Amino acid sequence: MGWSQAEILAATGGAILRQGRERRFGEVVTDSSKVKSGSVFVALKGERHDGHRFLGAAVRRGARCVIVHQSVDTAALRGATAVRVSDTLRALGELAHYRREKFAPRVLAITGSNGKTTTKEMVAAILEEGRLDGQPLRGKVLKTEGNFNNLVGLPLTLLRLRRRDKVAVVELGTNHPGEIQRLAEIADPDMGIITSVGAAHLEGLKSLAGVAREKGALYRNIRAGGAIAVNLDDPWVRRLGARFKGRKITYGDRGQVRARSWRARGGKGLEFSLQAGRKRCRVKLNYLGRHNIANALGAAALTLGAGVGLPAVRRGLAKAKPFSMRMQIEDWRGVSIINDSYNANPASMNAALATLAEIEGRGNKIAVLGDMFELGKQADKAHRSLGEAAAAAAVDALYLLGERAAEVRKGALRGGLRREQIVLGRDHAGLARLLRERLKKGDWLLVKGSRGMKMEKVLQEIKGGRG
Ligand SMILES: Nc1ncnc2c1ncn2[C@@H]1O[C@H](COP(=O)(O)OP(=O)(O)OP(=O)(O)O)[C@@H](O)[C@H]1O
Ligand SMILES: [Mg+2]
């Protein structure tokens, strides 16, 4: 498939800095080590690396067109074409947008403070089971890989579109104002969902109102004739949805799509009755935690709104599975571990603690928590609230790591935990040693913290230790 020179110029508005030998190229790449023969290499300037320094390497590996935003040493380009744009990051988005419009799949976009990746996986699993316009969708669904949700990841996702893809399910993330606006311009979504508005990335977005304004850009950028899914249980999302003039599918306690009579399936997941208008079915999930019912309802609302049938929703939800380190259930010598160490913010901490509290087991419930990052001025207060939440979840013990562990302890003491129930660790290995001594068969362990805390190392140390 690839790109013609004319398409690259039309998409990016760039100018030829140097005309090379070819006029047709392969696919777009931003990582010089992924360049193949004929590739278009976009030189991005990141925090750590500047792609312009890798032009020579990219051309040696076979790049035949390079897109740049500063002057380059043309001798190093051999016979490759060079296109100059004002901003290569923007150009990458424009190329992705061009491809999105050319192949014109249905684009479903997902943003929110929590639950984006989970909802995205559920939506894609449902679509794989469903039909659209009378055609089965299996094998024709493109989705964001992992967490590729920023100004680089979203374009790279859309650039993977193939002609046969009928739907693209994309995750949009943000940590500074204006990012969702730009991501939505690139994706030009037919449908959108904001899973929640909560305290995340407050360093960039300042306040909950700031988060709502930022996420709201998704609803404001839905294509004419498109539709949105609205979480009525989240007051901020409800307000954002109220301003949308087009078609809406609501979900939550009083939504068009709702959950009834849920129960736990042992330690394996949950099940509930899904009600969509007058129809209903029993749904099984491989996820723990009530917040995942909300995610499942959001995925159902979005896909039902897209025209997929309820049986496909049921089958897809039963197939979707958590990623590693996201509420992943593990077993170590009869101890059940909820490994949620991928990331943390106040809402996801509360959701994880509530999940631990819901579990019916005879053993001890122990929370191993690392700091939450990127909370700006509210960091200390948020960590004290975390301690209170852990106490309210009636954990039997709290093992803490990080610079703000003392704040968490303050909150936990205020919430009613006793001093001897709280342990502050010096490092991962130290915590693991203490935990290995106390863990007994039947116990439940929740492990969670911000990505930078690498709380999974505690688990590795526990499992890898001797004795
Ligand atoms: N609806 C929800 N409400 C609160 N917390 C949630 C919700 N859904 C998921 N979580 C929590 O957030 C964690 C991350 O979930 P997920 O990866 O789906 O979110 P995300 O929005 O994609 O996060 P990121 O910003 O890291 O991309 C989960 O493991 C869980 O603890
Ligand atoms: Mg994500």
Side-chain angles (χ1 to χ4, degrees):
M1 193 166 24
W3 293 82
S4 71
Q5 181 168 304
E7 281 181 309
I8 289 176
L9 296 180
T12 62
I16 295 285
L17 192 64
R18 175 161 186 274
Q19 180 65 61
R21 284 193 286 271
E22 291 92 355
R23 303 274 165 137
R24 275 216 70 84
F25 312 106
E27 291 303 326
V28 172
V29 290
T30 58
D31 176 347
S32 61
S33 71
K34 302 248 167 78
V35 165
K36 292 195 189 115
S37 169
S39 292
V40 178
F41 176 68
V42 181
L44 294 180
K45 193 166 162 42
E47 271 166 34
R48 269 163 298 181
H49 299 293
D50 184 350
H52 293 87
R53 290 186 42 225
F54 296 89
L55 291 174
V59 170
R60 275 197 300 281
R61 286 188 68 99
R64 301 309 295 153
C65 175
V66 300
I67 301 183
V68 297
H69 65 213
Q70 63 196 42
S71 49
V72 295
D73 168 18
T74 43
L77 295 180
R78 304 190 186 180
T81 297
V83 173
R84 181 160 184 159
V85 297
S86 56
D87 175 357
T88 49
L89 182 61
R90 197 167 173 87
L92 182 71
E94 294 302 323
L95 290 165
H97 179 69
Y98 184 92
R99 183 68 41 106
R100 181 259 177 271
E101 301 301 334
K102 181 169 169 180
F103 290 170
R106 198 88 62 92
V107 175
L108 310 187
I110 299 165
T111 190
S113 301
N114 290 290
K116 296 180 289 297
T117 300
T118 307
T119 306
K120 181 252 304 177
E121 289 299 317
M122 291 175 171
V123 167
I126 293 169
L127 292 171
E128 286 282 345
E129 296 295 317
R131 302 167 81 86
L132 220 51
D133 311 325
Q135 303 241 345
L137 290 173
R138 187 167 309 236
K140 298 174 186 163
V141 181
L142 173 82
K143 65 171 181 187
T144 299
E145 278 308 320
N147 211 24
F148 266 43
N149 64 16
N150 64 12
L151 288 167
V152 177
L154 173 75
L156 290 180
T157 301
L158 290 173
L159 286 166
R160 288 196 290 113
L161 268 171
R162 298 155 309 174
R163 220 175 271 282
R164 70 161 191 264
D165 290 328
K166 292 279 174 258
V167 196
V169 187
V170 293
E171 173 172 339
L172 314 186
T174 174
N175 55 19
H176 64 264
E179 204 168 349
I180 295 295
Q181 173 65 32
R182 175 65 186 145
L183 292 170
E185 282 165 17
I186 295 169
D188 190 14
D190 297 276
M191 295 186 73
I193 178 169
I194 301 173
T195 55
S196 65
V197 169
H201 303 294
L202 288 183
E203 258 165 24
L205 301 172
K206 306 296 180 213
S207 61
L208 275 181
V211 176
R213 205 173 315 120
E214 174 65 10
K215 309 280 179 203
L218 174 57
Y219 285 170
R220 291 196 293 278
N221 283 280
I222 299 295
R223 277 184 165 211
I228 61 170
V230 185
N231 181 1
L232 294 185
D233 292 342
D234 185 306
W236 288 98
V237 176
R238 200 167 57 219
R239 241 172 282 164
L240 294 171
R243 293 188 206 134
F244 184 78
K245 297 282 176 283
R247 189 163 63 91
K248 300 175 210 186
I249 306 97
T250 59
Y251 66 95
D253 259 0
R254 289 160 178 236
Q256 292 160 307
V257 178
R258 20 178 119 171
R260 288 282 170 273
S261 54
W262 69 277
R263 65 177 190 84
R265 299 197 295 126
K268 289 195 301 240
L270 295 166
E271 67 174 78
F272 64 94
S273 282
L274 177 72
Q275 199 177 318
R278 285 209 209 105
K279 293 188 187 156
R280 63 175 67 206
C281 66
R282 194 81 189 153
V283 168
K284 283 190 180 142
L285 289 183
N286 302 306
Y287 295 80
L288 288 178
R290 260 207 290 193
H291 57 288
N292 280 316
I293 295 183
N295 293 335
L297 289 182
L302 195 69
T303 49
L304 290 167
V308 164
L310 200 56
V313 172
R314 181 178 52 76
R315 286 197 304 272
L317 287 176
K319 281 196 176 168
K321 287 212 174 70
F323 273 127
S324 77
M325 300 195 282
R326 284 183 176 108
M327 299 295 283
Q328 202 187 9
I329 313 299
E330 299 169 11
D331 178 88
W332 177 75
R333 298 185 182 172
V335 176
S336 300
I337 297 169
I338 305 176
N339 180 353
D340 200 19
S341 58
Y342 179 73
N343 220 339
N345 60 37
S348 74
M349 278 288 197
N350 286 340
L353 285 166
T355 304
L356 187 65
E358 270 164 23
I359 287 162
E360 289 164 18
R362 277 193 299 273
N364 280 317
K365 293 182 184 172
I366 302 164
V368 185
L369 308 180
D371 280 6
M372 303 177 286
F373 292 173
E374 282 191 76
L375 289 169
K377 282 193 205 117
Q378 321 210 16
D380 279 347
K381 189 163 162 241
H383 283 83
R384 286 194 295 276
S385 303
L386 171 61
E388 286 178 35
V395 297
D396 296 289
L398 196 51
Y399 284 70
L400 304 170
L401 194 64
E403 284 173 15
R404 306 209 191 256
E407 298 300 324
V408 182
R409 173 164 58 188
K410 264 188 218 163
L413 291 171
R414 199 191 296 160
L417 283 194
R418 293 184 313 276
R419 210 158 264 284
E420 61 273 20
Q421 290 176 289
I422 308 171
V423 178
L424 266 59
R426 212 177 301 153
D427 52 24
H428 298 87
L431 268 189
R433 234 175 356 256
L434 296 171
L435 281 161
R436 278 174 64 91
E437 278 165 22
R438 77 159 289 163
L439 284 172
K440 287 198 284 297
K441 218 174 173 162
D443 285 349
W444 278 82
L445 195 66
L446 165 70
V447 183
K448 188 167 175 70
S450 267
R451 183 80 298 270
M453 290 299 301
K454 298 201 171 71
M455 295 302 286
E456 68 278 10
K457 276 174 44 187
V458 177
L459 288 175
Q460 286 156 9
E461 294 276 350
I462 291 178
K463 291 176 182 175
R466 286 156 186 256

